């Protein structure tokens, strides 16, 4: 009976709204920048538990923890690459965005941006016609 009540409460949750709220807090607090971020530590920082976080991401946003965080990190690196005044090495940008390794950064960047980071930087360097 208790499990049935809990399932009914969970089923009635607006996971999309909760996912959106979590995503906004992650952005506002810059939580995505932490290279040691885990689903459990993020849940604690957001004042929730891992199960709610997972359901809000998976059911509400249609993406898992890694995808949500890596997408945000890749977006930041893309913004830095688009800034001609930012001459940092791409790997430095990746680490500053919270990635722990070159391999995970390159994989995530290619997945979300559809090109390599080097290709992205080169495309920004072309004169606009």
């Amino acid at each position: 009976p208790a499990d049935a009540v809990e399932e009914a409460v969970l089923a009635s949750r607006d996971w999309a709204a909760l996912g959106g709220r979590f995503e906004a807090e992650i952005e506002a607090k810059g939580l995505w920048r932490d290279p040691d971020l885990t689903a459990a530590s993020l849940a604690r920082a957001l004042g929730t538990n891992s199960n709610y976080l997972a359901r809000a991401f998976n059911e509400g946003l249609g993406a898992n923890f890694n995808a949500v965080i890596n997408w945000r990190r890749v977006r930041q690196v893309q913004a830095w690459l688009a800034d001609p005044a930012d001459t940092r090495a791409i790997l430095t940008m990746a680490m500053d965005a919270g990635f722990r390794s070159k391999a995970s950064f390159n994989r995530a960047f290619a997945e979300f941006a559809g090109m390599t980071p080097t290709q992205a930087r080169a495309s920004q360097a072309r004169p606009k016609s």
Side-chain angles (χ1 to χ4, degrees):
D3 288 344
V5 170
E6 184 176 345
E7 268 308 306
V9 168
L10 291 177
S12 68
R13 284 233 174 251
D14 184 345
W15 295 110
L18 193 56
R21 195 186 96 219
F22 289 162
E23 206 172 26
E25 280 190 62
I26 291 164
E27 177 69 23
K29 296 177 180 177
L31 299 172
W32 52 271
R33 292 180 188 262
D34 179 0
D36 297 320
L37 190 66
T38 63
S41 67
L42 180 59
R44 281 191 300 278
L46 295 173
T48 190
N49 64 55
S50 296
N51 289 336
Y52 270 47
L53 182 70
R55 286 191 75 170
F57 283 174
N58 293 325
E59 294 180 33
L61 302 178
N64 66 25
F65 165 79
N66 286 326
V68 170
I69 298 303
N70 285 339
W71 176 80
R72 180 60 194 87
R73 291 172 175 167
V74 167
R75 259 191 36 218
Q76 181 60 61
V77 173
Q78 286 177 304
W80 288 332
L81 288 171
D83 178 1
D86 195 335
T87 58
R88 287 177 292 167
I90 293 173
L91 186 57
T92 300
M93 291 180 182
M95 298 302 137
D96 289 349
F99 285 99
R100 292 186 66 99
S101 75
K102 182 178 180 180
S104 64
F105 166 66
N106 284 334
R107 191 170 36 255
F109 197 96
E111 178 183 344
F112 292 110
M115 65 180 79
T116 68
T118 304
Q119 289 169 327
R121 176 169 263 174
S123 73
Q124 296 297 329
R126 288 198 193 105
K128 307 287 187 248
S129 48

